[in-house]
Amino acid sequence: MPRNIPTEAIIELAKTTGIEPVNIIRVEWVRSSGNYYYYSDRAIADAPEIQGKLIALDGLEAVLSIDKSTTSTSVKITLNDIDGSIKDIFNYNDIHNRSVIIYQWFIAPNFSINYKFPIFEGVIATPIEWSE
């Protein structure tokens, strides 16, 4: 998958040092609904649709292998569901094979959330683990 960073984003990144990368997960829990849920490890002030529920993202290093010597067919995502909203989706919908995109974005001055770019695309697959 090409990882194209918009030119405007590259210009803004070049102006800044000490930037912090942020991974953003987009999930379409209900097939063909067009309703996307966004999760990150923090709430983002300029993007209230992104929920700070991401606890862990494992296996991403293999996806981003610079020398392309490794490939990954899976990434493990752990989300916090203290409010029960994901459990409600899980209880009433078949979430297998639902679209997932992992984006990368950077916390930097003047760096719009629109500059996020995809680094992984896949689908939800088993095993799905639920822990209360």
Side-chain angles (χ1 to χ4, degrees):
M1 168 186 19
R3 295 178 182 101
N4 299 321
I5 302 174
T7 304
E8 301 85 10
I10 293 171
I11 291 168
E12 288 302 324
L13 286 174
K15 295 178 186 177
T16 305
T17 59
I19 59 173
E20 186 174 353
V22 176
N23 294 313
I24 300 170
I25 313 299
R26 184 188 89 171
V27 181
E28 185 179 24
W29 290 115
V30 180
R31 184 186 314 278
S32 303
S33 68
N35 294 325
Y36 300 106
Y37 295 79
Y38 293 86
Y39 306 100
S40 181
D41 63 344
R42 69 197 76 207
I44 299 172
D46 295 337
E49 71 278 9
I50 299 174
Q51 303 173 55
K53 293 186 170 194
L54 180 62
I55 294 173
L57 185 57
D58 299 322
L60 194 58
E61 297 81 17
V63 172
L64 299 176
S65 174
I66 293 174
D67 64 4
K68 296 190 175 32
S69 63
T70 60
T71 59
S72 175
T73 58
S74 67
V75 174
K76 182 178 178 183
I77 298 170
T78 305
L79 299 172
N80 178 336
D81 189 36
I82 198 161
D83 65 0
S85 61
I86 298 170
K87 179 76 169 164
D88 285 343
I89 294 168
F90 189 84
N91 283 341
Y92 298 105
N93 298 279
D94 178 7
I95 63 171
H96 290 88
N97 295 316
R98 298 301 184 255
S99 169
V100 177
I101 299 176
I102 301 174
Y103 295 95
Q104 191 149 74
W105 177 70
F106 294 93
I107 295 176
N110 302 317
F111 200 74
S112 167
I113 193 67
N114 296 327
Y115 294 155
K116 69 185 182 303
F117 55 95
I119 56 175
F120 182 83
E121 292 184 33
V123 296
I124 297 173
T126 55
I128 298 170
E129 297 177 26
W130 186 265
S131 176
E132 294 191 38

